[in-house]
Amino acid sequence: GIAGRRALARIKLLDEQLPTFFRAFGSTAGVIGASMSKVIAGILHNDFGPLNPLVRRLHKRLKAGLNPILCWRFFEAESESEFVHKYCEVFMDALNHGGAPPKVGRLFSDTCNQMLILRRKRAQVVSYLKGVLMPLQVTVVAILALMKGLIGILSVFAAKIASITVVTLVPPFFLDVYFFTVATGLTLGNALALHFLEGESRFHLLYYLGIFLLLSGVAYFGITLFVDHYLGSFTQFGSKLSGAMPEAVK
């Protein structure tokens, strides 16, 4: 999941430069009015950030006389971005069907910017939801672990005084099944909610599953250690009480 997130972050940097590339290509093509190879050569001095290596390779292929459509296909594939692929496809279709390069370049630049703004707004919503779901995950798992620990202590105490009272408790096995069922269901539901809301890559599902499972594990073991070390004195009290019970009964 983390590896996928890193790759996606790199691809997003490419997407951010695509509007600038379209605008520069359109304006240069409108001024030069030459072949596509010369147009790309005219914008090589521009800084497109992480898009620069792809633009240089596109220019080399066009300069070598390869089919322009094939050169753009390589450009799209090397970017590994669905965003770049979709907009470059339509951009080339618009130019091949006689669209004026300056107008096409401005139109695609503005459209890409609008889509990137919507992506940023969606990222803000996802960040807000993460700020709600992650503490909720920790809280629910902590409460379940605390309940499990307290019932375990009560079971030990009940076993000590079983001679004078009858206390029926849930077996530890069923408690474990219940705890892991709820924790797993909550983890899967939260991860799917963030994944579908973000909706960019399958790596997000793996990433969020890993994060929620990690938070659940930390909360579970933290509360378990707390119960064992600080609340375990109740079992010692129960042991002393069970030793005094026969004398009290007599």
Side-chain angles (χ1 to χ4, degrees):
I2 292 175
R5 293 272 294 189
R6 289 175 178 172
L8 190 63
R10 178 184 60 81
I11 292 172
K12 284 184 177 180
L13 293 177
L14 294 178
D15 296 345
E16 294 286 340
Q17 298 297 326
L18 194 61
T20 306
F21 172 73
F22 282 147
R23 188 174 291 274
F25 183 95
S27 59
T28 303
V31 173
I32 296 177
S35 64
M36 191 173 294
S37 175
K38 292 183 179 180
V39 173
I40 297 295
I43 64 174
L44 282 177
H45 64 280
N46 293 5
D47 184 15
F48 300 114
L51 207 59
N52 285 331
L54 302 183
V55 176
R56 287 195 292 266
R57 286 197 289 269
L58 175 62
H59 174 253
K60 291 179 181 179
R61 293 186 180 110
L62 291 170
K63 189 176 180 180
L66 297 178
N67 188 334
I69 297 178
L70 182 62
C71 294
W72 280 94
R73 293 288 186 276
F74 276 112
F75 179 82
E76 298 164 10
E78 289 174 346
S79 70
E80 299 179 343
S81 170
E82 184 67 17
F83 187 84
V84 173
H85 169 70
K86 290 191 297 185
Y87 281 96
C88 285
E89 286 282 324
V90 184
F91 182 74
M92 289 304 301
D93 286 342
L95 293 179
N96 291 334
H97 286 82
K103 293 182 178 179
V104 173
R106 287 195 300 271
L107 176 62
F108 275 80
S109 177
D110 294 340
T111 304
C112 289
N113 277 324
Q114 291 175 4
M115 293 301 297
L116 291 173
I117 290 173
L118 290 176
R119 178 187 286 180
R120 295 188 192 104
K121 290 181 179 179
R122 184 176 60 186
Q124 291 177 353
V125 176
V126 172
S127 298
Y128 172 77
L129 187 59
K130 284 192 289 187
V132 173
L133 292 181
M134 289 184 179
L136 178 64
Q137 177 86 14
V138 173
T139 302
V140 172
V141 172
I143 291 174
L144 290 173
L146 183 60
M147 290 172 54
K148 182 176 179 295
L150 292 177
I151 292 176
I153 292 175
L154 185 59
S155 299
V156 174
F157 182 75
K160 300 295 185 180
I161 60 174
S163 59
I164 62 171
T165 184
V166 178
V167 179
T168 303
L169 298 174
V170 180
F173 172 75
F174 292 106
L175 287 176
D176 292 336
V177 172
Y178 174 76
F179 170 78
F180 285 110
T181 301
V182 173
T184 303
L186 187 64
T187 297
L188 186 60
N190 290 340
L192 286 173
L194 292 176
H195 169 66
F196 288 129
L197 182 60
E198 207 155 16
E200 292 179 346
S201 171
R202 293 185 180 91
F203 288 109
H204 284 140
L205 181 58
L206 296 175
Y207 175 77
Y208 290 128
L209 281 174
I211 290 295
F212 283 119
L213 287 173
L214 179 62
L215 292 175
S216 300
V218 171
Y220 173 76
F221 286 110
I223 295 299
T224 300
L225 290 175
F226 170 78
V227 171
D228 290 342
H229 286 79
Y230 294 99
L231 300 182
S233 57
F234 284 102
T235 59
Q236 298 177 1
F237 171 76
S239 178
K240 295 177 181 179
L241 184 63
S242 64
M245 278 298 173
E247 297 296 331
V249 172
K250 292 178 183 179

